[in-house]
Amino acid sequence: MIKTNVNITPEAQELLIKAAAKKQVSVEELASEILNEAVQNKLAEVVNISENKKEYPPNPLANKQPYLYYADPQELAIPLEDWDMESYY
């Protein structure tokens, strides 16, 4: 929870005091309720819009050619000595 000082006009203060008395709650409780509701209503759209515009890093493989393998298909890519690891140990 964040505690902060909020500046409101004298007219808004008077309305807040009268409404809190009528609802039989504290001024702080009513002000917190109103502020929470207003923040969620006003700022939810701003946060959702900015979250939808995610920036993705550039693809390092963009505009690259695929790797070409010029070896003979019959030729082993890995020597037999390295391939047979079980007998090596």
Side-chain angles (χ1 to χ4, degrees), residues 2-8:
I2 298 174
K3 295 189 182 235
T4 184
N5 293 330
V6 178
N7 296 319
I8 58 175

Side-chain angles (χ1 to χ4, degrees), residues 1-2 16 26-39:
M1 177 174 18
I2 298 174
L16 187 60
S26 70
V27 174
E28 291 83 3
E29 185 178 342
L30 182 59
S32 295
E33 180 184 323
I34 293 169
L35 185 59
N36 283 329
E37 195 173 304
V39 165

Side-chain angles (χ1 to χ4, degrees), residues 5 11 22 24-25 37 40 53 57 62 67 70 80 84:
N5 293 330
E11 295 83 15
K22 193 168 189 173
Q24 297 180 345
V25 295
E37 195 173 304
Q40 289 176 1
K53 294 182 179 178
Y67 177 77
Y70 291 112
L80 282 176
D84 194 13

